[in-house]
Amino acid sequence: MQLIRPDININFIGKRKLAMAISALMIIISLGMLATKGLNFGIDFTGGTLVEIKFDKPAKIADIRSAISPKGYGNAVIQEFGSPEEILIRVQNREGEKSSTISTAILDSLNAKFTADAVEMRRVEFVGPQVGDELTHAGIMAVLISMLAILIYVTFRFEFRFALGADAALLHDITIVLGLFAITGKEFTLPVIAALLTVIGYSLNDTIVVFDRIRENFAANRKRKNPEDEALIANNAINQTLGRTLMTSFTTLLVVFALFLFGGEVIHDFAFALIAGIGVGTYSSIFIASPIMLSLAGYFKGNADETREMEARP
């Protein structure tokens, strides 16, 4: 079964100006929100209070969350600890709020829902941030080194202009996903960082598939002499891989949407980051990476007639 015709011929390269304008607008908005509003860092970055609770029988995490939500702790990290009866609750301290105040409020809420005999407070302690300044610096350096490694690898496998196009698409994706977290105010936690790294790998894979077909088509058309010839070949390559790109993204999104809707509060933000990243990554592999690669080859410069002709194509 083919949902996309094998002979489809959409003029992606000719629509580059519109795509670039949309991307530029999204990036400006994202950077603006990151600079003004910033990210809502979770307890992994800020630290908070850890409360260990022992129930007389297994309790559902959803019931615990609904009990403490009226007190303002709906975003707490709740997980089993050793057995279904033992629960760890990690809460981010609000300004001026003590750990003793948090533990009392949580215990009162749980007693009201489960009765006093069913709930036992085991321990209360303040925990520091899991991600300190040193680890944050190491994480940033790791991302920069990985981008450099991608640049070297793609340059070795393809050409330098391909590598710059791939890195530009990755920076585009990361910036927009971070901007969405700033706009929505969703918590930025360690699982979200894991999702961002997954998005980088997913987006790069999509881009490499397109670049690989472009390289194959370049090799099969050795007589190309002008940059506009390369643009037509690249546009054909994007169309040839379009079915694979869209179907892979669609089937992946089905699973991620299931996690988002039914996976629970703990992985909600993780799934949100993946949904946004996969969507933006699919877009950038089609509309961002290849046009940037072609721009670096000199296309769109000194070829006004051919450029207008291509843009006029449907």
Side-chain angles (χ1 to χ4, degrees), residues 72-306:
Y73 304 126
N75 291 328
V77 177
I78 305 173
Q79 60 190 93
E80 293 182 2
F81 180 65
S83 68
E85 294 83 12
E86 297 182 67
I87 300 294
L88 281 182
I89 303 174
R90 290 194 297 159
V91 179
Q92 184 174 343
N93 289 38
R94 292 175 289 217
E95 186 176 355
E97 191 175 34
K98 297 181 180 180
S99 296
S100 58
T101 304
I102 294 174
S103 61
T104 300
I106 290 176
L107 184 60
D108 291 344
S109 300
L110 295 177
N111 283 336
K113 185 173 183 67
F114 296 97
T115 72
D117 295 336
V119 183
E120 176 189 351
M121 180 79 70
R122 286 291 184 87
R123 64 185 168 110
V124 179
E125 61 184 54
F126 177 80
V127 293
Q130 294 184 28
V131 182
D133 292 338
E134 183 178 346
L135 190 54
T136 301
H137 176 74
I140 294 173
M141 289 303 298
V143 172
L144 293 177
I145 292 172
S146 66
M147 298 292 285
L148 178 61
I150 290 170
L151 193 70
I152 295 172
Y153 168 74
V154 179
T155 299
F156 177 77
R157 181 174 175 183
F158 299 93
E159 297 176 28
F160 184 61
R161 55 181 170 139
F162 284 82
L164 289 178
D167 267 5
L170 294 181
L171 289 174
H172 167 278
D173 300 342
I174 295 172
T175 302
I176 292 176
V177 174
L178 289 176
L180 284 173
F181 269 82
I183 292 169
T184 59
K186 290 184 175 295
E187 276 197 332
F188 191 79
T189 58
L190 287 177
V192 173
I193 292 179
L196 286 176
L197 295 175
T198 304
V199 166
I200 289 175
Y202 190 94
S203 178
L204 179 64
N205 179 68
D206 265 357
T207 301
I208 292 299
V209 168
V210 176
F211 281 176
D212 204 43
R213 181 57 61 89
I214 292 175
R215 182 180 61 175
E216 290 176 359
N217 290 359
F218 279 178
N221 294 269
R222 297 182 181 278
K223 294 182 179 180
R224 68 185 193 281
K225 297 180 179 179
N226 302 312
E228 60 268 20
D229 294 335
E230 290 194 351
L232 290 172
I233 293 170
N235 197 73
N236 290 335
I238 295 173
N239 280 280
Q240 291 166 5
T241 57
L242 185 63
R244 179 264 177 205
T245 299
L246 295 183
M247 286 305 299
T248 301
S249 298
F250 174 72
T251 52
T252 305
L253 282 173
L254 286 179
V255 178
V256 179
F257 267 115
L259 289 175
F260 181 77
L261 295 174
F262 309 112
E265 190 71 23
V266 175
I267 62 173
H268 184 83
D269 293 339
F270 171 83
F272 175 81
L274 284 180
I275 291 171
I278 291 172
V280 175
T282 302
Y283 163 84
S284 69
S285 66
I286 296 173
F287 286 104
I288 302 300
S290 297
I292 288 178
M293 179 272 293
L294 290 170
S295 297
L296 296 172
Y299 184 65
F300 315 134
K301 293 182 181 179
N303 299 289
D305 293 339
E306 292 86 350

